């Protein structure tokens, strides 16, 4: 498992506890992905709070599904941000998977 660097862009809500934040990253195809989850999901960053100054760099746990090494272009990895989910899709149109380089 690896960590994907993302940016926490805003506090979502205090409920459910311990509170929700919105996190975004841009993949290798310049598609922006957004995730909303409880703040401890994002690598346990303890500076995420309603009164924090956003954006804040955070990380999210991910699995590398495949790696493309063309030898000339930057490597591109297909990832899933639902580690351990046996029902996850490897299709990049799925909201839980994306391509990064």
């Amino acid at each position: 498992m690896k960590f994907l660097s993302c940016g926490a862009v805003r506090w979502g809500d205090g409920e459910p506890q311990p509170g929700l934040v919105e996190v975004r990253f841009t993949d290798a195809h310049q598609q922006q992905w957004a995730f909303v989850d409880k703040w401890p999901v994002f690598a346990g960053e303890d500076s995420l709070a309603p009164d924090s100054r956003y954006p804040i760099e955070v990380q999210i746990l991910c699995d590398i599904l495949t790696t493309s090494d063309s030898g000339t272009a930057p490597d591109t990895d297909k990832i899933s941000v639902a580690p351990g989910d046996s029902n996850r899709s490897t299709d990049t149109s799925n909201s839980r998977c994306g391509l990064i380089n």
Side-chain angles (χ1 to χ4, degrees), residues 62-80:
C62 67
D63 282 334
I64 296 178
L65 303 176
T66 61
T67 298
S68 170
D69 183 5
S70 67
T72 57
D75 294 348
T76 302
D77 297 329
K78 182 185 272 187
I79 65 161
S80 172

Side-chain angles (χ1 to χ4, degrees), residues 24-100:
R24 294 179 179 260
F25 81 95
T26 303
D27 71 13
H29 297 293
Q30 301 307 306
Q31 178 179 349
Q32 191 170 84
W33 298 80
F35 304 99
V36 176
D37 211 332
K38 295 178 180 179
W39 66 261
V41 168
F42 304 107
E45 178 60 52
D46 60 358
S47 64
L48 300 175
D51 58 350
S52 296
R53 292 182 54 127
Y54 293 91
I56 298 171
E57 188 173 331
V58 296
Q59 295 181 328
I60 186 170
L61 191 62
C62 67
D63 282 334
I64 296 178
L65 303 176
T66 61
T67 298
S68 170
D69 183 5
S70 67
T72 57
D75 294 348
T76 302
D77 297 329
K78 182 185 272 187
I79 65 161
S80 172
V81 295
D85 180 0
S86 61
N87 296 319
R88 71 176 172 235
S89 169
T90 57
D91 179 358
T92 58
S93 64
N94 183 293
S95 64
R96 292 180 165 218
C97 297
L99 296 174
I100 60 170

